[in-house]
């Protein structure tokens, strides 16, 4: 968000830190207002009662993807300059599973645990301390983890590039997947609600 | 049509909008040709900073399995097939523009000839690539310093086997290969 302005020297390190802090506060505020500061709300997606998290995530993905696509189409954004985090397939799948298990067990993901802590929730604070301890443990044990950490490298790749598919087609497929997912999520929520009533 | 749309709720309207935008994107080319201005001052500053990668440094990246760079070999196919740096991709000078290399990817250019790499460096800079480097000493330097270094046995200098000439045609991404694959 602030990267291009920082890069072009509109402001320096200190200002970028202040802006990052303000953006973080804004992000946390909207997470909390959306109800994502409550573990009950967050884990109810795993019981299929309330799929708000899924819908919010997919909405964010689709909005950002369409925005980026159209900005590139209009010539405002050079897609090839957008930094991509390199893909390491196996470690990233394992990382995803670890995060998922943590989410189910603890009721939060790292970001929402901070939002919950800020509103004084003790379970959020405990989760946040767990994240903190885990981060330190990972850093200390990094030499042991390193072979796995850098296994199966695919470089800075994307789905269109990896499968040699047209970029626009993948965009459309993701939109279809999201719309289908929303319809499916609505159907599941109704089903679970009627089951709960009966 | 209008009646049908007005009967939809906000969520459904947004879904229809997203589908329409997605459908249009399916037929769009998201990266139209950009006009690039060559900034002579910037080029000169880049040159002053060096813009080279030492053979030892590159060998170290390859051995460590770092994936955040691509080695582009500018020689012809025959020379490439006979020998190349592990993980290097064969891209002739004329094909650099549509080689699929991201403008912010770290690129290391190599060839037998220093002039060829210098030309490619300028071409890539002019095309808007930001992170282009030249392999210092070219391939001869690589063979001498990294592939068969004349250093004491106790050093941790990576040794890369030079004697595997048969390779599948076409390059692949640096780092996605095993370290000792096809030299």
């Amino acid at each position: 968000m602030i990267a291009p302005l920082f890069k072009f020297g509109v402001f320096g390190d200190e200002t970028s830190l202040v802006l990052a802090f303000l953006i973080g506060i804004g992000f946390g505020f909207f997470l909390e207002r959306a109800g994502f500061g409550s573990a009950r709300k967050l884990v109810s997606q795993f019981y299929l009662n309330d799929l708000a998290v899924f819908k919010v995530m997919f909405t964010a993905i689709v909005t950002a993807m369409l925005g980026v696509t159209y900005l590139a189409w209009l010539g405002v954004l050079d897609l090839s300059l957008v930094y991509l985090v390199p893909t390491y397939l196996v470690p990233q799948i394992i990382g995803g599973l670890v995060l998922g298990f943590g989410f189910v067990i603890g009721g939060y993901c790292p970001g929402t645990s901070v939002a919950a802590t800020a509103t004084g929730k003790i379970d959020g604070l405990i989760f946040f301390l767990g994240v903190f301890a885990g981060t330190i443990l990972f850093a200390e044990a990094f030499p042991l983890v390193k072979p796995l950490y850098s296994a199966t490298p695919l470089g800075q790749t994307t789905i269109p590039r990896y499968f040699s598919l047209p970029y626009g087609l993948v965009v459309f497929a993701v939109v279809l997947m999201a719309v289908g997912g929303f319809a499916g999520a609505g159907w599941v929520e109704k089903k679970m609600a009627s089951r709960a009533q009966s | 049509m209008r009646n049908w749309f007005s009967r939809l709720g906000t969520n459904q309207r947004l879904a229809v909008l997203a589908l329409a935008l997605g459908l249009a994107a399916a037929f769009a080319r998201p990266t139209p040709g950009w006009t690039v201005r060559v900034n002579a001052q910037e080029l000169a500053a880049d040159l002053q900073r060096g813009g080279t990668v030492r053979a030892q440094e590159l060998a170290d990246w390859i051995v460590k399995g770092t994936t955040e760079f691509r080695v582009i070999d500018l020689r012809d196919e025959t020379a490439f097939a006979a020998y190349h740096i592990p993980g290097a991709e064969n891209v002739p000078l004329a094909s650099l523009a549509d080689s699929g290399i991201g403008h912010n990817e770290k690129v290391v250019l190599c060839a037998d000839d220093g002039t060829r790499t210098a030309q490619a460096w300028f071409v890539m800079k002019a095309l808007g690539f930001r992170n282009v480097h030249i392999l210092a000493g070219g391939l001869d330097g690589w063979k001498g310093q990294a592939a068969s270094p004349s250093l004491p046995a106790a050093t941790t200098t990576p040794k890369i086997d030079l004697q595997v000439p048969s390779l599948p045609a076409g390059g692949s991404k640096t780092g996605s290969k095993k370290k000792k694959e096809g030299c």
Side-chain angles (χ1 to χ4, degrees):
Chain A
M1 195 163 170
I2 56 173
L5 298 178
F6 174 69
K7 200 169 177 178
F8 291 122
V10 177
F11 47 74
D13 285 335
E14 288 85 2
T15 317
S16 75
L17 283 176
V18 172
L19 284 172
F21 179 72
L22 292 175
I23 290 168
I25 296 281
F27 179 58
F29 176 79
F30 286 109
L31 273 183
E32 208 282 326
R33 286 292 81 201
F36 292 175
S38 156
R40 283 174 198 282
K41 172 99 176 167
L42 291 167
V43 293
S44 59
Q45 70 173 324
F46 301 118
Y47 297 103
L48 306 175
N49 299 322
D50 181 353
L51 291 162
V53 176
F54 167 80
K55 290 181 198 164
V56 165
M57 290 298 169
F58 237 141
T59 307
I61 290 168
V62 168
T63 309
M65 181 187 65
L66 286 173
V68 162
T69 305
Y70 277 85
L71 284 177
W73 197 14
L74 294 169
V76 177
L77 179 73
D78 181 347
L79 273 184
S80 70
L81 281 177
V82 175
Y83 177 74
L84 299 171
V85 179
T87 301
Y88 295 89
L89 207 56
V90 171
Q92 282 167 352
I93 289 172
I94 294 173
L97 287 172
V98 169
L99 188 118
F101 275 113
F103 203 160
V104 175
I105 296 165
Y108 292 104
C109 62
T112 52
S113 75
V114 178
T117 307
T119 57
K121 291 205 167 66
I122 292 167
D123 59 346
L125 178 65
I126 300 293
F127 190 98
F128 177 62
L129 290 175
V131 171
F132 195 68
T135 309
I136 291 172
L137 191 70
F138 178 79
E140 289 299 326
F142 190 70
L144 294 174
V145 188
K146 198 171 178 279
L148 175 68
Y149 186 82
S150 51
T152 58
L154 296 179
Q156 294 183 327
T157 194
T158 58
I159 292 173
R161 204 184 290 169
Y162 191 77
F163 293 106
S164 303
L165 291 168
Y167 179 87
L169 196 68
V170 175
V171 168
F172 185 50
V174 173
V175 173
L176 274 183
M177 218 191 311
V179 173
F182 291 152
W187 180 80
V188 167
E189 281 172 348
K190 266 187 203 155
K191 198 97 178 156
M192 293 307 283
S194 65
R195 190 183 287 183
Q197 275 171 0
S198 59
Chain B
M1 178 78 179
R2 191 182 286 174
N3 275 345
W4 164 81
F5 193 73
S6 61
R7 263 186 273 133
L8 295 176
T10 314
N11 289 352
Q12 280 122 343
R13 281 185 195 181
L14 287 172
V16 170
L17 181 68
L19 276 175
L21 288 171
L23 188 63
F27 298 101
R29 262 192 85 228
T31 47
W34 316 284
T35 47
V36 179
R37 265 182 303 170
V38 177
N39 185 336
Q41 249 178 341
E42 203 179 295
L43 282 184
D46 273 355
L47 280 173
Q48 200 135 34
R49 276 197 291 270
T52 56
V53 168
R54 287 178 299 112
Q56 288 284 340
E57 220 175 328
L58 178 62
D60 203 34
W61 294 346
I62 295 171
V63 171
K64 278 182 183 160
T66 313
T67 57
E68 293 182 19
F69 69 98
R70 288 168 84 165
V71 179
I72 303 299
D73 194 320
L74 301 155
R75 298 168 307 154
D76 59 38
E77 258 177 58
T78 328
F80 182 79
Y83 173 74
H84 62 252
I85 294 172
E89 298 163 65
N90 190 206
V91 182
L93 194 61
S95 316
L96 280 172
D98 38 45
S99 55
I101 303 167
H103 281 199
N104 61 349
E105 282 188 89
K106 187 184 238 175
V107 172
V108 180
L109 297 169
C110 67
D112 287 331
D113 184 357
T115 318
R116 180 82 61 86
T117 41
Q119 286 167 338
W121 188 87
F122 273 103
V123 168
M124 290 190 84
K125 280 285 177 188
L127 286 166
F129 291 89
R130 305 285 172 94
N131 210 349
V132 192
H133 305 266
I134 290 174
L135 176 64
L139 273 162
D140 285 340
W142 163 266
K143 286 174 192 165
Q145 291 168 37
S148 50
S150 51
L151 288 171
T155 61
T156 53
T157 312
K159 282 201 173 191
I160 293 158
D161 185 9
L162 283 162
Q163 306 303 321
V164 194
S166 61
L167 253 190
S172 79
K173 285 206 163 177
T174 305
S176 61
K177 286 187 164 191
K178 292 270 186 285
K179 285 155 209 163
K180 298 217 169 183
E181 192 178 344
C183 290

